Amino acid sequence: MDALERLAEPGLDLLRRVDTLLAAGAPEGHRVWPLLRRMQVLPGEAVRNFLDLHPAPLAAAGHSARRLVRGYDEACAALTDPVLWSGSAASSYGQARAALLRHLDEGPESLVGRLESTAGFADALADWVEGSRLALARALADVLRCAEAVTVVAATSTPAGAPGRGAAGPGATEAAEIAARVLAVLCVAYDGAETLLRQWTPSLAESRWRAPVAERPRYDTPTRVGW
């Protein structure tokens, strides 16, 4: 259990109250507005969705991808065994074998290169999730111990229909401030994910097979001595 999971229950309870107040509106010109427009979600729902992201499955995917490299190494080793025959057919086979070796394991665009890139991308995503969860946990810890949280709890404890609810009522400004702190952290997190995607996408492209341009084999017509 990481820090975010330990803070999830009290944090989500507070953010549920924040969402309730924000649903009625927020102070005009508050910094929460551009964050809400960008995220298109209230902070409570945003955090609930983020709680489902864990680094362990991504790290495991990276390890699995790297284990597949061993099979390609074995295939390459078999292809490099010497061929004890000669002639035009052997030459064509040699060209095909060289092309296959390049496709399997020669450079970043080979199958092994793409596997290693996939594993690296999975590791980078796992690090991103771990770091983002820690940043979000710190944000939740900050808002849980701030004075705004007390005001929000008090405002949302008022019986439904009582006066003082909504953008102009008690707790509206405090709720907007809490929401802004949480959504700002999530915006940074998702910016990081988009950056990773841009950085790694070229390395994750399909590895295309390039067939060798082989000469057509020429078969000599057998002759008999004396003809």
Side-chain angles (χ1 to χ4, degrees), residues 34 37 40 49 56 58-59 67 71 73 76 84 91 110 131 141 160 163 166-167 187 197 205 216 218:
R37 283 191 290 268
Q40 296 292 304
N49 292 335
L58 292 165
R67 283 197 296 269
D73 289 341
C76 290
L84 303 178
S91 177
S110 66
C187 280
L197 189 58
R216 293 184 62 185
R218 295 191 302 271

Side-chain angles (χ1 to χ4, degrees), residues 67-119:
R67 283 197 296 269
L68 293 174
V69 173
R70 181 179 301 174
Y72 288 92
D73 289 341
E74 293 172 354
C76 290
L79 287 169
T80 54
D81 288 341
V83 177
L84 303 178
W85 44 295
S86 61
S88 57
S91 177
S92 296
Y93 171 75
Q95 293 172 353
R97 178 176 65 170
L100 183 55
L101 282 169
R102 288 193 298 270
H103 183 59
L104 288 176
D105 189 8
E106 187 174 298
E109 295 184 3
S110 66
L111 293 178
V112 169
R114 292 301 191 231
L115 270 177
E116 291 174 344
S117 294
T118 300

Side-chain angles (χ1 to χ4, degrees), residues 98-178:
L100 183 55
L101 282 169
R102 288 193 298 270
H103 183 59
L104 288 176
D105 189 8
E106 187 174 298
E109 295 184 3
S110 66
L111 293 178
V112 169
R114 292 301 191 231
L115 270 177
E116 291 174 344
S117 294
T118 300
F121 182 50
D123 290 344
L125 284 176
D127 290 341
W128 167 76
V129 171
E130 185 175 5
S132 298
R133 287 177 66 92
L134 180 58
L136 184 55
R138 288 171 175 167
L140 287 179
D142 287 342
V143 298
L144 282 168
R145 59 174 172 255
C146 70
E148 287 92 339
V150 177
T151 304
V152 166
V153 171
T156 51
S157 298
T158 305
R165 299 175 67 86
T173 300
E174 290 80 4
E177 185 60 28
I178 290 172

